[in-house]
Amino acid sequence: MEIKYIENGSVTSAKGFTANGICAGVKASNTTKKDLALIYCDKVCNSAAIFTKNLVKSDTIYVTKKHLENGTAQAVVVNSGNANACNPDGYEKAEKMCSLAADALGVDENDVIVASTGVIGQPLPIEPIASGIEKLKGTLSKDGGTSAAEAIMTTDTMKKQWAVETVLDGKKVTIGGIAKGSGMIHINMGTTLSFVTTDAAISSEMLKSALIEAADVSYNMVSVDGDTSTNDTLAIMASGYAGNKEITEKNDDYKTFTAVLTDAFKKVAKKLAKDGEGATKLLICKVDGAKDDKSAKIISKSIICSSLVKAAMFGADANCGRILCAIGYSGAETDVKKIDVSYKSAKGEILVCKDGNGLVFDEDKAKEILLEDEIEILVKLGDGNASAEAYGCDLTYDYVKINGDYRT
Amino acid sequence: MEIKYIENGSVTSAKGFTANGICAGVKASNTTKKDLALIYCDKVCNSAAIFTKNLVKSDTIYVTKKHLENGTAQAVVVNSGNANACNPDGYEKAEKMCSLAADALGVDENDVIVASTGVIGQPLPIEPIASGIEKLKGTLSKDGGTSAAEAIMTTDTMKKQWAVETVLDGKKVTIGGIAKGSGMIHINMGTTLSFVTTDAAISSEMLKSALIEAADVSYNMVSVDGDTSTNDTLAIMASGYAGNKEITEKNDDYKTFTAVLTDAFKKVAKKLAKDGEGATKLLICKVDGAKDDKSAKIISKSIICSSLVKAAMFGADANCGRILCAIGYSGAETDVKKIDVSYKSAKGEILVCKDGNGLVFDEDKAKEILLEDEIEILVKLGDGNASAEAYGCDLTYDYVKINGDYRT
C-alpha cells in the first residue's frame, strides 16, 4: 500500500473540509483555552461512528447515533470542559448544540455529529456554546484543523492531528483526523474523541467496517488508566471528492483504505499513550508466540494495564516479576514455563526472563535501556504463532496529581 | 454469635500454638528487619489453605498444596524478602525450607506449610534461612506471634494480627491470625499471606469450606492495585484443644465458626486496604439495591479498583463522574438512570448523584467529609435487594514511589 504522511496535516486536509476552534468559555473560569470546535464539509458525507461501551453514556452519544442512522453527516460540533454526561437535560442540550451548528452552517440538524468531553455530572452551559458557534460561523478554513485539534484537548499536553495520502483506483485520496487524550483511556472501543475526514468515495457501511477493523488494533489496544470514558466517539466523514470508484464492498480498495487508516490510528494510539495523563514514557508491549490472537491481545493488554508494571517503568526498574505476574493473572492460558521477557529501547535490548525464570542480568545496562522515553516490553510465549501489540504509559506522581483534583 | 476480640491477640492465642520471627538476612542488605518466621503446634492439626489464582505461582504453593493433601499440618515456615517465584530451583528450595523446619521442630516435613513473599525472579538464598531456622529453634513462645507478624511484612507499615474468642458447643474457642499486605493485592482469592490458628475441633474439609466462605466476602473484596500476587496463601490449622465436639458438617457450630472467621477477616481486609502501598485513606464501597449478589460485587469492586476514583479520593475531590463511569464499565447490568451516590465519613454524609444525574452540592461540606481517612462510597441501585462491600485505598504519590523501584 502507498502511504505518505502530510506534514502538519489535519482534519481539514481532505478535499471539502474546513474547521476551526475557539475559546467559548464552557467552563466559566476558562478565558483562554480553546474549547469549542466545528468541522464542516461543503457537501453531505457518507459517515459512520463507533462509541464507548460504557453503560453510562453521555447524551451526545445517543444524539449522534440517531443522526447517523441514515449514514450521512455534514458537520461536527464538539466542546471540551464539560462532558454533558449524567445530566437530566443532557439530551436536549446535545440536540440544541446540533441545531445551533446546523443553523450557523446552513445544514440539516440531523447531519450534525455532536460530542463533548470534560467533567461528568455538571450541567452544560449552553449560552457560551451558542455564542461560540456564532463566533465560529464564517471563520472555518483549511487552516482551522489545528485550532479544532486544540479545542478538543482536556489534560492533553500536545494536540493530536494527522493526515495521509494514498492512492485508490488511481486517484489520490487524503485521510486526516484529530484526536484527544489523555486520561480515562482504556481498551473498550475507539477510546477518546477522534474525528476523521476523507475525500475517498466510500459507503457508510464500509466506513463503519473499516473503523471497527482499524480501531481494534489501535485505539482498542491503548490503556492509560483502565478507565473507559462515558463519551468516547470515533467518527468519520467521507466527501467522495477524490473521485475514486465508490467503495461499497470489501475489495482491494477497501483493504487499502483500511490498512492506511490502521497505520494512522496506530500512530495516534502511540501518541495517546505517550501523552497519557502524567506520563513520561511510552510503553509498547509486543507479545509473540501466543496460541491465538485473543490470548496475545489479553496478555499484552494485561501487562500494559498493570499499575505495578507502570510504576516500575516510571522508576526504570527492570523488574521481570511484575511482567510475569501480569501475564499470570491476565486470564489467558499459556505455558508459564516457556515465557521469555526482554526490555528494549534506543539504548539496546536486555533479556530478563528465560523459560519463565528470572535471570541475573546487567542492572546498569537495564537501567540505561529503561531511562529512555520509549520502551518496548517484548514477551515471547512458546504456545503458537499469534502476536499482538498494546500501548500504554508509565504511572507517575503527576497522574495522581492531575486526577487528585480534576474538576478544579 | 458471640465474638470477643482479644487485645494484642495473635496467631499464638489459640491453645497449642507458639511462634517467633527473626531477622535472618534473606536479602543480603537486610540486617535489621525480621524476615523469617516459624509457627508451630505441639500436635498435628487438621489444616486447609487456599491460594492465588495467578497462573504464575511461587513453588511454595505447589509444595504446600502437596503437604496439605492429607489435610494435616503442624508448622508454618515463611520468609519475606524473596518470593521464591520464577526460579528454576524454586521447588527444591521450598522443600528444603520444609525439611529444615521439620528437623528443627521434630515434625514430619509433610506437615510443614511453606510460604515466601518479596521479589519475584531472584534466586532464594537458602543459607540465611537454614541458619535462621537454627536460631529460631527453641525460641518459639506464646509471645512470639507479634514477631512472626512482623517477619512477614514487606512494604506494610503496620503489622496485622488479631485473635477472637467465641463459644462452640459450650466451650471457649480461640481463633487468631497474622497477615501481610500491602501491594500486588487484588480480588482473586485470599490475597496476601495470612496464617490462621484455632483450638477448635473441626475437620480439614470444614476448615477449607469455612476459609472459602469467609475469604469470599473479605480478602476477595480488597484491592490495592489490581495486581494479583504469585504467592497468595491463606492457611489455617486447628489443634482441637478447645474440646468442642468436632465440626464435621455444616451445622450450627460450623455456621458460628464461619461467621466469626468472616468477621475477623473483614477487619483484616480493611487493615490491608488502609495499609495499601502509599495509601492515606481506607475506601469502603457499599453497594445496595443490586439485582443480584454477583452484580453487587462486580460494581463495588469496579469502583474500588478505578485509578480515577482512587486518585480523586486522594485529592478529596467529590467527583461523582468517576463513580458513575466505573459502574458503567464494570460489566454488570444496571439501570443507570436509577443510581444514587453518596460520600460518607466521620464528618457526615453528602448525596452527589441522584437517579444517575450529578447534583449541585455543597463543595465545602464534601471536602470536609473526604478529608477524613476512612471514606464510605455509598451506591444505591434501584434494581433489587442484593448488596456487597468492597475495600480499597487511595492512589497516591507514595504508591508510585514505592513501586518505581521496589527491588532496591
Side-chain angles (χ1 to χ4, degrees):
Chain A
M1 95 203 168
E2 249 176 90
I3 181 164
K4 190 184 130 203
Y5 280 83
I6 303 170
E7 209 175 333
N8 299 317
S10 186
V11 73
T12 49
S13 296
K15 279 181 213 147
F17 295 93
T18 53
N20 201 12
I22 56 161
C23 172
V26 174
K27 268 188 186 173
S29 59
N30 173 30
T31 55
T32 52
K33 191 207 159 289
K34 294 191 182 84
D35 58 5
L36 184 70
L38 285 176
I39 304 167
Y40 167 73
C41 188
D42 61 15
K43 62 173 284 198
V44 174
C45 295
N46 287 338
S47 299
I50 54 180
F51 303 96
T52 183
K53 294 212 175 68
N54 198 313
L55 265 194
V56 177
K57 290 177 175 61
S58 164
D59 282 310
T60 57
I61 288 179
Y62 297 111
V63 170
T64 297
K65 268 191 178 166
K66 198 182 98 197
H67 289 181
L68 287 178
E69 270 171 15
N70 66 347
T72 66
Q74 194 170 354
V76 176
V77 57
V78 50
N79 73 276
S80 59
N82 187 308
N84 192 22
C86 307
N87 295 323
D89 60 357
Y91 195 89
E92 295 94 281
K93 285 187 175 163
E95 281 198 317
K96 184 72 183 169
M97 282 177 70
C98 292
S99 64
L100 288 164
D103 288 350
L105 299 169
V107 309
D108 190 316
E109 67 181 72
N110 289 311
D111 281 332
V112 179
I113 290 167
V114 59
S116 297
T117 179
V119 182
I120 295 169
Q122 293 189 350
L124 178 74
I126 203 73
E127 301 73 20
I129 290 175
S131 49
I133 288 173
E134 269 310 300
K135 277 182 221 158
L136 277 167
K137 178 183 166 178
T139 72
L140 307 194
S141 73
K142 291 305 265 185
D143 296 331
T146 302
S147 292
E150 288 166 359
I152 65 172
M153 291 165 66
T154 52
T155 49
D156 305 68
T157 65
M158 43 185 166
K159 60 180 176 289
K160 284 99 182 166
Q161 61 178 358
W162 57 275
V164 295
E165 284 174 11
T166 188
V167 175
L168 292 178
D169 182 31
K171 301 292 191 307
K172 187 181 88 172
V173 163
T174 302
I175 315 174
I178 58 175
K180 64 150 299 232
S182 65
M184 207 178 267
I185 288 196
H186 187 58
I187 298 156
N188 204 359
M189 192 305 284
T191 290
T192 84
L193 299 188
S194 185
F195 306 102
V196 182
T197 58
T198 180
D199 43 29
I202 174 168
S203 71
S204 59
E205 289 77 13
M206 291 300 104
L207 279 173
K208 179 80 171 267
S209 174
L211 269 195
I212 291 170
E213 278 191 52
D216 197 42
V217 291
S218 56
Y219 287 116
N220 283 352
M221 296 302 285
V222 182
S223 185
V224 167
D225 49 20
D227 282 63
T228 305
S229 155
T230 52
N231 288 49
D232 293 345
T233 300
L234 166 56
I236 188 165
M237 298 197 286
S239 68
Y241 280 129
N244 62 300
K245 181 169 181 293
E246 187 178 6
I247 301 169
T248 57
E249 57 175 10
K250 295 192 178 175
N251 55 16
D252 286 349
D253 283 352
Y254 171 84
K255 283 174 195 152
T256 302
F257 183 83
T258 304
V260 170
L261 207 59
T262 301
D263 194 87
F265 281 9
K266 280 195 177 183
K267 284 200 165 53
V268 176
K270 288 179 196 171
K271 280 189 200 169
L272 290 172
K274 191 164 189 172
D275 196 26
E277 285 178 339
T280 68
K281 286 176 203 295
L282 167 64
L283 308 179
I284 302 174
C285 179
K286 294 182 176 175
V287 171
D288 286 311
K291 75 172 178 190
D292 51 37
D293 284 352
K294 194 179 167 198
S295 301
K297 279 186 182 173
I298 288 174
I299 289 171
S300 59
K301 289 191 221 178
S302 182
I303 292 168
I304 230 70
C305 290
S306 159
S307 292
L308 290 171
V309 169
K310 290 155 66 80
M313 292 299 97
F314 174 59
D317 178 21
N319 190 324
C320 79
R322 306 312 203 192
I323 308 289
L324 291 166
C325 180
I327 296 170
Y329 67 69
S330 68
E333 286 294 325
T334 196
D335 183 343
V336 298
K337 290 294 177 198
K338 288 186 187 165
I339 302 170
D340 295 352
V341 179
S342 304
Y343 293 107
K344 186 179 172 186
S345 75
K347 287 288 197 290
E349 182 173 339
I350 193 161
L351 186 71
V352 295
C353 170
K354 178 83 190 152
D355 297 330
N357 293 315
L359 298 176
V360 178
F361 54 84
D362 181 342
E363 292 277 356
D364 293 338
K365 179 70 188 166
K367 188 67 108 181
E368 192 193 356
I369 289 169
L370 294 183
L371 282 171
E372 291 294 295
D373 64 0
E374 283 199 23
I375 309 293
E376 291 184 18
I377 302 168
L378 307 177
V379 176
K380 292 196 192 310
L381 309 171
D383 283 349
N385 297 310
S387 60
E389 204 170 293
Y391 313 102
C393 59
D394 53 344
L395 175 63
T396 70
Y397 302 133
D398 280 347
Y399 177 84
V400 178
K401 189 173 177 187
I402 290 165
N403 289 299
D405 204 358
Y406 173 68
R407 294 179 309 147
T408 52
Chain B
M1 95 205 166
E2 247 175 90
I3 180 164
K4 191 184 130 202
Y5 280 82
I6 303 170
E7 209 175 333
N8 298 318
S10 186
V11 73
T12 49
S13 296
K15 279 181 211 147
F17 296 92
T18 53
N20 202 11
I22 57 161
C23 173
V26 174
K27 267 189 189 174
S29 59
N30 173 31
T31 55
T32 52
K33 193 208 158 289
K34 294 191 180 85
D35 58 5
L36 184 70
L38 286 175
I39 304 167
Y40 168 73
C41 187
D42 60 16
K43 62 172 284 197
V44 174
C45 294
N46 287 338
S47 297
I50 53 180
F51 304 96
T52 183
K53 294 211 174 72
N54 198 313
L55 266 194
V56 177
K57 290 178 174 61
S58 164
D59 281 310
T60 57
I61 287 178
Y62 297 111
V63 171
T64 296
K65 267 191 178 167
K66 199 182 97 197
H67 289 182
L68 287 178
E69 269 169 17
N70 66 348
T72 66
Q74 195 170 355
V76 176
V77 57
V78 51
N79 73 277
S80 58
N82 187 308
N84 193 20
C86 306
N87 295 323
D89 60 357
Y91 195 89
E92 295 94 280
K93 284 186 175 164
E95 281 196 318
K96 183 73 183 169
M97 282 178 69
C98 292
S99 64
L100 287 165
D103 289 350
L105 299 169
V107 309
D108 189 317
E109 67 182 69
N110 290 311
D111 281 332
V112 180
I113 289 167
V114 59
S116 297
T117 179
V119 182
I120 296 169
Q122 293 189 351
L124 179 73
I126 204 73
E127 302 74 19
I129 290 175
S131 50
I133 288 173
E134 269 310 301
K135 277 182 222 158
L136 277 168
K137 178 184 168 178
T139 72
L140 307 194
S141 73
K142 291 306 263 185
D143 295 332
T146 302
S147 292
E150 288 166 358
I152 65 172
M153 290 165 67
T154 52
T155 48
D156 305 69
T157 65
M158 44 185 166
K159 59 180 179 285
K160 284 98 183 166
Q161 61 178 357
W162 56 276
V164 295
E165 286 174 10
T166 188
V167 175
L168 292 178
D169 181 32
K171 303 291 191 307
K172 187 181 89 172
V173 163
T174 302
I175 315 174
I178 57 175
K180 65 147 301 229
S182 65
M184 209 178 266
I185 289 196
H186 187 59
I187 299 153
N188 204 0
M189 192 306 282
T191 290
T192 85
L193 299 188
S194 185
F195 306 103
V196 182
T197 58
T198 179
D199 43 29
I202 174 169
S203 71
S204 59
E205 289 78 12
M206 290 301 104
L207 279 174
K208 179 81 170 266
S209 173
L211 269 196
I212 291 170
E213 278 191 54
D216 196 42
V217 292
S218 57
Y219 287 115
N220 283 351
M221 296 302 286
V222 182
S223 185
V224 167
D225 50 18
D227 282 64
T228 304
S229 155
T230 53
N231 288 49
D232 293 344
T233 299
L234 167 57
I236 188 165
M237 298 196 288
S239 69
Y241 279 129
N244 60 301
K245 180 169 182 294
E246 188 179 7
I247 301 169
T248 57
E249 56 175 11
K250 295 192 178 177
N251 55 16
D252 285 349
D253 283 353
Y254 170 84
K255 282 174 196 155
T256 301
F257 182 82
T258 305
V260 170
L261 207 59
T262 301
D263 193 87
F265 282 8
K266 280 195 178 184
K267 283 200 166 53
V268 176
K270 287 180 198 172
K271 279 189 199 169
L272 290 172
K274 191 165 191 172
D275 196 26
E277 285 178 339
T280 67
K281 286 176 204 292
L282 167 64
L283 308 180
I284 302 174
C285 179
K286 295 182 175 174
V287 170
D288 286 312
K291 76 173 177 188
D292 51 37
D293 284 353
K294 193 177 167 202
S295 300
K297 279 186 182 173
I298 288 173
I299 289 172
S300 59
K301 289 192 222 178
S302 182
I303 291 168
I304 230 72
C305 291
S306 159
S307 292
L308 290 171
V309 169
K310 290 155 67 79
M313 291 300 97
F314 174 59
D317 178 20
N319 191 323
C320 79
R322 306 311 204 192
I323 307 289
L324 291 166
C325 181
I327 295 170
Y329 66 70
S330 68
E333 286 293 324
T334 196
D335 183 343
V336 298
K337 290 294 177 197
K338 288 186 187 165
I339 302 170
D340 295 351
V341 179
S342 304
Y343 293 107
K344 186 179 171 186
S345 75
K347 286 290 197 296
E349 181 174 339
I350 193 161
L351 186 70
V352 294
C353 171
K354 178 82 190 156
D355 297 329
N357 293 314
L359 298 176
V360 177
F361 53 84
D362 180 342
E363 292 278 354
D364 293 338
K365 179 70 188 168
K367 188 67 107 181
E368 192 193 355
I369 289 169
L370 294 183
L371 283 171
E372 291 294 295
D373 64 1
E374 284 199 23
I375 309 293
E376 291 184 19
I377 302 168
L378 307 176
V379 176
K380 293 197 193 309
L381 310 170
D383 283 350
N385 296 310
S387 59
E389 205 170 290
Y391 313 103
C393 58
D394 53 346
L395 174 63
T396 70
Y397 302 132
D398 280 348
Y399 177 84
V400 177
K401 189 174 178 186
I402 290 165
N403 289 300
D405 204 0
Y406 174 67
R407 294 180 308 148
T408 52

